[in-house]
Amino acid sequence: MLPAFAPDEIRIDRPTREARLKWVMVVDHDLNPGLIANAVGCLAASVGNAVPTLLGPGGADAVGDHHPGLPWTGCAILAADREKIAAVRAKAIGKVGVHLVDMPEPAQTSRVYQEYLDTLAKSAELSYYAISLVGPRNLVDKLVGGLRLLG
C-alpha cells in the first residue's frame, strides 16, 4: 500500500517537520549536474504520480496568474555514493509504508524506454544513480540517517 496523507493531515499552515510522512531523495554526489537534475526530475514525477497527496494546492499571484501546486511536504535532496545508495535501497525494500522509487544507471543510458526495461530484465545487479523514499518520518530518518544535503 502506498503512503498517503488523510485529508485532515494535509496542513499547509504548519512546518513540514510536523508532517507524519517524509520525502527524501538520495543522489550520487559524483554525477554531473545534468544527470542529477534528470534523476531528481524523473523521481519526482514518479512520486507525484504515486503519492498525489504530497502536492499542495495551486495559487494565484497578485496579477492573477495561476501557479500549480508544489509539494507542501518539502523534499530533502541528500548526497551519497552509489554504494550507500544501494545500501539504503536494500534496507528500504519491503518496509511497510515506505514508497521507494529508484533510478538505476540504465535508466539514464538507455535512449528507448523498452531498451531500459529489457536491460532491467537481464540485470541481476544494478548501480543506482538515485532513489526516492516517502514514508513515516521516523523510519525514513533511520534509513537516511547521517547523510548530508546535496550541495
Side-chain angles (χ1 to χ4, degrees):
M1 184 167 149
L2 292 174
F5 288 100
D8 64 332
E9 291 182 298
I10 300 173
R11 296 300 308 264
I12 62 173
D13 60 332
R14 295 215 174 138
T16 58
R17 290 181 192 258
E18 293 181 16
R20 178 179 55 84
L21 298 178
K22 183 173 185 171
W23 180 16
V24 301
M25 294 186 196
V26 184
V27 299
D28 180 351
H29 53 66
D30 292 328
L31 293 175
N32 72 52
L35 291 177
I36 289 173
N38 178 270
V40 167
C42 290
L43 293 174
S46 182
V47 169
N49 183 60
V51 190
T53 56
L54 292 174
L55 301 177
D61 62 26
V63 296
D65 290 339
H66 180 74
H67 301 273
L70 296 170
W72 67 273
T73 60
C75 178
I77 310 296
L78 307 173
D81 59 31
R82 288 189 202 173
E83 292 76 26
K84 181 64 176 177
I85 293 169
V88 172
R89 181 186 177 278
K91 288 184 207 172
I93 291 174
K95 295 285 186 197
V96 175
V98 174
H99 179 61
L100 167 69
V101 178
D102 58 40
M103 170 68 74
E105 180 268 337
Q108 288 192 341
T109 58
S110 301
R111 296 293 173 244
V112 176
Y113 198 77
Q114 186 60 54
E115 178 185 305
Y116 162 64
L117 295 176
D118 293 344
T119 301
L120 282 180
K122 295 184 280 185
S123 300
E125 283 192 35
L126 292 164
S127 177
Y128 295 93
Y129 282 4
I131 60 171
S132 177
L133 304 172
V134 178
R137 179 169 297 283
N138 61 344
L139 182 53
V140 171
D141 283 342
K142 286 179 187 173
L143 290 167
V144 298
L147 296 180
R148 62 179 173 76
L149 288 173
L150 179 67

